[in-house]
Amino acid sequence: MKSTTPASAPQHRPSQQRHRRIGRGWLAVAAAALGTAGVAIAVQPSDGAAATSAPGYRQDDLRLDTDAIQALGITGVQARVTTASGRDLVATTGVAVAGTNRPVPRDGYFRIASTGKALMATVILQLVDEGKLSLDDTVDRWLPGVIDGKGNDGRKITVRQLLQNTSGLHDDLPGFDTPQEYYRHRYDTYTPEQIVARAMKHHPDFRPGAGWNYSNTGYVVLGMIVEKAAGRPWQEEVESRILNPLGMNHTYLSGATPTLRRPHADGYQVFAPGERTDVTEQIVPDLGGYVSTTADVNRFFRGLLGGKLLSRARMAEMQDTVPVAKQFEAFWPGGRYGLGLVNRPLTCGGSYWSHEGGEAGYITLNGATDDGSRTVTVSMSTSFNNLDKTLRQQKAASDLVDRALCDTSSNRQGK
């Protein structure tokens, strides 16, 4: 992230603008809305079909599940299930461009947003394995004075706490609240230092280690630490340690390029009913700027859970989880957070590992079994400012992931 803020772009827009953006940190934004608005919506891991239907998740089941998501008002959906044999089930529904008949590409590019946190965590843990840093290192060990002011203290926050979202660092990420603000600010760029400085204008959410709250800012700090420990940009570490070894040839950091490689479905944000805005073109300056495909995301989780990237000791630390905050239960029922990895229960028993992401216009859910032998990724090219619609979208996609990983038919062909 070597970008700089243009002179015309305000560095510290009022924080209320970020509360509406389904962009960087959309989970944190929506969870905050849940905590203050008193919205009561029952969101369960599945509707129970997996427990009673015939075994075997097939191509028709995947199609039915993507159709159910698209019916919620999603412009386009693509999903891929990679089975233990390496065989893929792929389904798309909707359109790539609103108002046309152009089909959604079967392996189109999309912004993976917070799924990139799992990449960052993997790099950190590899550096730990190599003795280049410790999970118990404080932020000040690597970035003296960067976390300071308003009660923030880098001497008391560890690398582990940053990874596990238990640091207490508050988020104040730049964003937009209306179509007009999107067009005005979509090319704004920010350095990591500028993003962290925004957070330093707020008191911590809690004392380090005393709570849990989703903090994108914490992962920006982690990127800065990686650069100090490795001696080169964190993006290069991700590329050399993960993307190249796993053959993730369709995953890249967009940087200062606002467009996506082709093919891709355009991304849309519904700021208000009847206000669907094409938000495909924008600069995403932080870790959330990674672009990938369903095949590459599955390849990553398959490699990570399959033991190709981390030692057993580091993998055990990555999977040492804590409960998520109560308001996040609406998104991750029964969810627990490890080091850049989310654990969620399966209706068929056991649990799965994932890290979803949401950027304006693109929402992605994913999941993998304990050994990575079965993986699934679903990308949706519409995001909503409406909390009810966001939760229903989340539930429908979570149901798809659950059924695909349980390998159970939805048994809805006759419905």
Side-chain angles (χ1 to χ4, degrees):
M1 294 187 297
K2 301 301 182 185
S3 54
T4 57
T5 302
S8 61
Q11 296 183 20
H12 302 293
R13 297 197 293 278
S15 62
Q16 63 264 27
Q17 291 186 6
R18 77 176 181 91
H19 291 304
R20 295 288 292 173
R21 180 178 182 183
I22 308 297
R24 291 182 288 272
W26 77 282
L27 276 171
V29 172
L34 269 175
T36 58
V39 177
I41 299 175
V43 182
Q44 302 299 326
S46 175
D47 58 11
T52 59
S53 59
Y57 192 80
R58 301 177 295 274
Q59 184 71 42
D60 287 346
D61 298 302
L62 184 60
R63 167 69 66 183
L64 286 167
D65 282 339
T66 56
D67 285 349
I69 294 172
Q70 194 266 335
L72 298 174
I74 312 301
T75 308
V77 183
Q78 58 169 317
R80 179 182 299 266
V81 179
T82 302
T83 65
S85 67
R87 174 173 166 266
D88 281 359
L89 306 176
V90 181
T92 66
T93 190
V95 295
V97 179
T100 74
N101 293 321
R102 188 182 305 173
V104 175
R106 288 170 54 86
D107 204 15
Y109 289 100
F110 57 92
R111 293 189 173 96
I112 66 173
S114 284
T115 298
K117 289 181 173 62
L119 301 177
M120 177 66 76
T122 301
V123 167
I124 289 281
L125 289 166
Q126 287 187 355
L127 291 172
V128 170
D129 251 339
E130 296 164 9
K132 294 181 179 179
L133 59 79
S134 167
L135 291 176
D136 295 322
D137 285 347
T138 64
V139 174
D140 258 32
R141 159 75 173 81
W142 296 99
L143 306 169
V146 171
I147 304 299
D148 189 33
K150 292 285 188 178
N152 297 286
D153 191 344
R155 298 170 300 177
K156 299 179 180 179
I157 298 173
T158 66
V159 171
R160 187 191 306 273
Q161 289 168 343
L162 293 174
L163 286 168
Q164 200 153 46
N165 285 323
T166 57
S167 69
L169 286 179
H170 184 79
D171 264 344
D172 182 10
L173 298 183
F176 34 78
D177 189 34
T178 65
Q180 293 74 25
E181 288 173 359
Y182 161 72
Y183 290 118
R184 188 180 308 126
H185 296 295
R186 58 179 170 166
Y187 301 133
D188 290 359
T189 56
Y190 297 82
T191 66
E193 292 78 9
Q194 288 171 330
I195 292 175
V196 174
R198 294 171 66 96
M200 293 304 98
K201 294 184 178 296
H202 300 269
H203 291 286
D205 293 336
F206 48 80
R207 177 171 49 85
W212 190 94
N213 196 28
Y214 199 78
S215 177
N216 297 281
T217 302
Y219 275 77
V220 175
V221 175
L222 285 168
M224 298 167 70
I225 291 175
V226 167
E227 294 196 1
K228 291 288 187 179
R232 63 174 180 169
W234 62 264
Q235 302 95 319
E236 294 182 16
E237 292 296 302
V238 171
E239 184 175 3
S240 65
R241 292 174 177 272
I242 301 174
L243 306 187
N244 291 341
L246 293 184
M248 295 173 62
N249 301 321
H250 298 285
T251 301
Y252 68 96
L253 197 66
S254 55
T257 302
T259 55
L260 300 180
R261 294 175 184 172
R262 296 185 181 279
H264 67 262
D266 285 357
Y268 298 89
Q269 183 154 334
V270 180
F271 290 97
E275 291 187 6
R276 180 172 56 187
T277 302
D278 187 333
V279 295
T280 310
E281 191 168 320
Q282 60 173 296
I283 292 176
V284 184
D286 59 18
L287 182 62
Y290 268 106
V291 176
S292 191
T293 62
T294 56
D296 264 16
V297 173
N298 280 2
R299 189 171 289 115
F300 166 69
F301 283 107
R302 191 178 181 91
L304 176 65
L305 276 301
K308 293 182 178 180
L309 296 176
L310 296 175
S311 67
R312 289 186 179 180
R314 297 292 82 76
M315 197 70 221
E317 289 192 283
M318 192 179 208
Q319 294 177 318
D320 185 12
T321 62
V322 296
V324 300
K326 185 177 181 180
Q327 64 266 34
F328 267 76
E329 280 284 323
F331 295 96
W332 300 335
R336 298 179 63 89
Y337 203 93
L339 305 186
L341 208 56
V342 179
N343 184 255
R344 295 183 60 184
L346 287 166
T347 56
C348 54
S351 61
Y352 69 95
W353 300 95
S354 69
H355 204 305
E356 63 190 64
E359 181 55 62
Y362 295 97
I363 306 296
T364 179
L365 269 70
N366 45 60
T369 53
D370 282 334
D371 60 358
S373 63
R374 193 172 180 90
T375 56
V376 56
T377 297
V378 54
S379 171
M380 299 164 282
S381 60
T382 301
S383 56
F384 299 97
N385 276 20
N386 181 284
L387 185 59
D388 176 81
K389 287 183 176 294
T390 297
L391 287 170
R392 295 184 191 284
Q393 177 183 16
Q394 179 84 11
K395 182 184 185 301
S398 293
D399 285 352
L400 184 156
V401 172
D402 181 86
R403 281 189 278 265
L405 293 181
C406 283
D407 195 17
T408 50
S409 172
S410 59
N411 198 28
R412 292 175 293 169
Q413 286 85 345
K415 295 185 178 180

